[in-house]
Amino acid sequence: MIQNSRLALIYAVILLDVIVGSAIGPILPEYVRALPQPQLWLSLGTGLFLGVQLFSAPLLGRLSDGYGRRPILILSAAGTLLATALLLPVRTGLYFVNRLSDGLTNGMYSTIRSAITDISNKDDLFKNLGIEGAIISLGFVLGPMASGLLLTALDVPPAEEATYVAALAVSLAAVNVVLSFLLPETHRQRSPVRGAELRAELSRGLNPLTLWARLRANDTPSGDLRRIVLMQVALTLSTGYYFYFVPFVSLGEQQMNAQEISYFFMFFGTLSIGLNYVFYTYFADRINQQRAIFWLAALGVPVLAAYGLIGSSRVGLYVLVTLDCMTFSLIQGLLEGLLAQRTTEANRGEVFGLNQALQGLASFATTLVFAGLSVLDLRLPWAWFALCLAAVAWQARRGAALGPVTQPSI
């Protein structure tokens, strides 16, 4: 019962954090619309948000191992509140400051996954991390839903939509700060971190080779952990399309406005919630996970490629999103479960932090690629995303079945 209440509170914090981030998604084009090539600037802002996690995620993960999960989650919630408040004046410069400052504390997800793993029984691990994925999907529904309902109910003039939605997001972020203070600590084996260690952590975080070396030091003897992380990196390169959706549907042939974008993400998220919940509750721990990753990725490749071919068809867009939710959108939770099984309580925060940092690097790289391709043609990034997903299928197919869970080498 205690475990369930702690999980519920952790899930609530995740939910509100995602709602805040997804609620502002439909209005972000307004901050760069006056600039030449607005899709490029919108993508670069996303790249900035993701890129700073290269050093912030392992730093926050290491701090959570040293001082506990709760202080880091409080810090992250407060950072999101301050960053979101910067969007209240609709100014291009503040958009980029928001992306930078919000990215600095978005490394909280390594801490969140560590906290869930801390309190999960082995038999419940895949289910609990799968539910986390469903909660994130729910946030992606409720965020745009809240924005859409606010704009519709108050009949907000188009010129003021961004300000109203930003104010809503600030209010929800403030509630999340309160919830984070209520979280109980889940990590008991703490080792305080010295100032010199923090400075070293920052410098190491900027070097991908160092990140990889640290991951290898925490790996199992058979190298399973690194194989999983490589698949996650390839998956992250492909799921950059989540951030590309807003510029694609607002500036491309679909020409969606803020309300239409909200309704689209409501459908996307609602379907994803249901499928993730059923899959991770009843199937994920009963199947060969690596084989499932291969088939889900292989079936998802033509879906991603097809996004670039739908033109202005709304029916085509919704059909593809449905197929999307049934295939590669299910992969992330499987990889997180496999990774969690190969951590210990002593290094869990660091491993999840390193993993998120490498994913942040991949997110930054894929953002630069799709930003450049979108300048040439808004359809071209979909070929890149499909190619990256094919790399996930290739890695899952090429590697032997992951070995039995063994203790890391440290």
Side-chain angles (χ1 to χ4, degrees):
M1 189 68 179
I2 295 176
Q3 177 187 348
N4 291 339
S5 63
R6 287 189 294 177
L7 277 172
L9 196 49
I10 291 171
Y11 290 151
V13 170
I14 300 170
L15 179 62
L16 271 181
D17 186 76
V18 179
I19 288 174
V20 170
S22 61
I24 64 174
I27 64 167
L28 292 182
E30 296 303 317
Y31 291 81
V32 297
R33 196 175 292 276
L35 297 175
Q37 299 290 350
Q39 72 272 23
L40 174 63
W41 294 105
L42 190 62
S43 298
L44 289 178
T46 300
L48 182 63
F49 169 74
L50 297 168
V52 295
Q53 295 175 43
L54 178 62
F55 63 87
S56 68
L59 176 63
L60 292 176
R62 177 68 185 91
L63 287 172
S64 77
D65 282 341
Y67 297 103
R69 318 299 185 204
R70 182 173 178 269
I72 302 306
L73 294 176
I74 292 173
L75 174 67
S76 298
T80 298
L81 172 61
L82 294 175
T84 308
L86 292 170
L87 293 176
L88 286 172
V90 184
R91 302 285 186 271
T92 299
L94 290 177
Y95 162 71
F96 289 105
V97 177
N98 162 271
R99 296 292 80 192
L100 174 64
S101 56
D102 201 15
L104 287 172
T105 54
N106 201 57
M108 68 175 283
Y109 284 90
S110 61
T111 304
I112 282 286
R113 286 161 191 144
S114 297
I116 292 173
T117 307
D118 287 340
I119 61 177
S120 296
N121 299 321
K122 181 180 178 180
D123 293 340
D124 295 330
L125 187 57
F126 273 100
K127 182 181 73 174
N128 291 343
L129 287 172
I131 290 174
E132 179 222 6
I135 292 292
I136 290 175
S137 297
L138 178 61
F140 277 113
V141 175
L142 296 181
M145 180 186 296
S147 298
L149 290 175
L150 176 72
L151 299 178
T152 302
L154 299 183
D155 195 21
V156 179
E160 299 179 26
E161 287 180 347
T163 301
Y164 273 74
V165 171
L168 171 66
V170 168
S171 301
L172 295 174
V175 173
N176 216 23
V177 172
V178 175
L179 283 182
S180 65
F181 273 98
L182 299 177
L183 279 170
E185 183 54 65
T186 64
H187 180 53
R188 302 300 175 189
Q189 296 182 11
R190 296 176 231 170
S191 54
V193 186
R194 298 183 180 89
E197 290 181 83
L198 292 182
R199 289 190 293 272
E201 188 76 43
L202 284 172
S203 64
R204 290 196 302 262
L206 296 173
N207 186 339
L209 295 178
T210 303
L211 292 173
W212 186 253
R214 291 171 61 194
L215 190 64
R216 181 173 55 193
N218 285 278
D219 205 351
T220 60
S222 58
D224 290 349
L225 192 150
R226 281 172 289 165
R227 287 199 289 273
I228 297 167
V229 170
L230 280 176
M231 281 193 281
Q232 286 198 307
V233 167
L235 182 66
T236 301
L237 290 171
S238 68
T239 54
Y241 84 96
Y242 290 143
F243 300 98
Y244 183 61
F245 252 134
V246 171
F248 178 69
V249 299
S250 63
L251 304 173
E253 293 181 66
Q254 296 285 327
Q255 288 294 306
M256 288 186 175
N257 58 33
Q259 287 190 30
E260 290 170 331
I261 294 173
S262 297
Y263 297 145
F264 168 72
F265 279 106
M266 285 163 55
F267 174 82
F268 192 175
T270 300
L271 185 60
S272 183
I273 291 165
L275 290 173
N276 270 271
Y277 179 80
V278 171
F279 181 74
Y280 284 101
T281 300
Y282 299 107
F283 300 105
D285 58 351
R286 296 180 173 88
I287 60 176
N288 183 309
Q289 286 89 21
Q290 188 166 343
R291 189 175 299 165
I293 290 168
F294 165 74
W295 283 109
L296 292 172
L299 292 172
V301 170
V303 177
L304 276 183
Y307 277 120
L309 304 175
I310 57 172
S312 60
S313 171
R314 294 287 174 87
V315 173
L317 179 64
Y318 278 85
V319 168
L320 287 178
V321 162
T322 301
L323 296 174
D324 179 334
C325 292
M326 297 170 64
T327 54
F328 64 97
S329 288
L330 299 171
I331 295 175
Q332 183 64 38
L334 292 174
L335 290 173
E336 287 178 6
L338 291 172
L339 186 69
Q341 287 182 333
R342 288 156 176 82
T343 64
T344 68
E345 187 172 356
N347 73 351
R348 189 163 293 141
E350 182 180 8
V351 169
F352 276 115
L354 291 169
N355 179 54
Q356 188 173 348
L358 290 168
Q359 287 181 283
L361 178 62
S363 295
F364 180 70
T366 199
T367 300
L368 294 180
V369 172
F370 75 64
L373 291 174
S374 68
V375 172
L376 300 174
D377 191 313
L378 285 170
R379 296 169 296 181
L380 283 178
W382 295 106
W384 163 254
F385 299 137
L387 181 64
C388 294
L389 187 61
V392 176
W394 176 76
Q395 289 181 67
R397 181 74 170 181
R398 179 173 175 268
L402 292 172
V405 178
T406 56
Q407 291 300 316
S409 58
I410 62 167

